[in-house]
Amino acid sequence: MPPEPRAEDDGAAHFRALESLYAHAPINHFFQSRLEIEASGVARIHFTVDERHFHAGGAAHGTSYFKMLDDAAFYASNSLVTDRFLLTTQFNILFTAPLAAGPVVAEGRWISGRRRVFVADARLLDEAGDEVARGTGTFMRSRIPLADLPGYRR
């Protein structure tokens, strides 16, 4: 069970600030996507995949899978940390189906870790709700204060 935020309003403010941080990240100008965090240890990202993300075989390239899965697991973990930005230290992916153009949801959830290193997983669901990929990653606290990052507004 994930640790609870100090106060309900503080948790909600942190979640909205992380959503703002996500929206302001320069990399997200290349991906039509939106982050939502409703509870500690859980994050959901809504993406739209289009032909710009395809490899020569006509389906989404693995970099798109990684981006979606890593972001969902990362934000599930960072929802538990209110003072520091986390960094991905390792991420493994299992591809189970090709991904066509259309809406995609990446669902991330915290698994373990409460101090320095966090473990989280994520799954990628296509428009029909079928799982097309799954990933697990480790994330560690950085020295970067969240409050110093552009876009993180509580």
Side-chain angles (χ1 to χ4, degrees):
M1 175 149 256
E4 294 299 320
R6 288 182 297 270
E8 189 171 320
D9 290 342
D10 186 42
H14 175 57
F15 300 161
R16 301 300 79 82
L18 287 175
E19 291 167 354
S20 175
L21 181 65
Y22 178 85
H24 284 85
I27 186 67
N28 290 323
H29 297 276
F30 296 106
F31 295 88
Q32 185 179 349
S33 59
R34 177 179 53 84
L35 168 66
E36 64 180 32
I37 303 172
E38 296 178 9
S40 293
V42 179
R44 183 175 296 114
I45 303 178
H46 301 271
F47 286 88
T48 301
V49 172
D50 63 41
E51 290 77 15
R52 293 174 300 154
H53 305 115
F54 284 9
H55 54 59
H61 189 274
T63 56
S64 298
Y65 286 77
F66 172 78
K67 165 81 169 103
M68 294 182 270
L69 292 166
D70 176 59
D71 282 355
F74 167 87
Y75 280 98
S77 294
N78 221 147
S79 72
L80 303 170
V81 179
T82 59
D83 62 338
R84 299 287 173 188
F85 186 72
L86 297 181
L87 300 171
T88 303
T89 58
Q90 175 273 335
F91 205 88
N92 292 313
I93 300 175
L94 172 65
F95 299 94
T96 56
L99 187 56
V104 181
V105 175
E107 297 178 338
R109 84 181 159 89
W110 169 82
I111 297 172
S112 69
R114 294 177 188 236
R115 291 190 180 97
R116 184 163 164 77
V117 177
F118 297 78
V119 177
D121 68 8
R123 64 188 193 137
L124 206 55
L125 305 172
D126 67 10
E127 188 171 13
D130 295 326
E131 185 176 297
V132 298
R134 171 175 294 276
T136 303
T138 57
F139 309 89
M140 66 179 282
R141 287 179 186 267
S142 73
R143 294 182 178 166
I144 303 166
L146 280 169
D148 291 353
L149 296 175
Y152 185 84
R153 296 186 183 99
R154 286 180 81 119

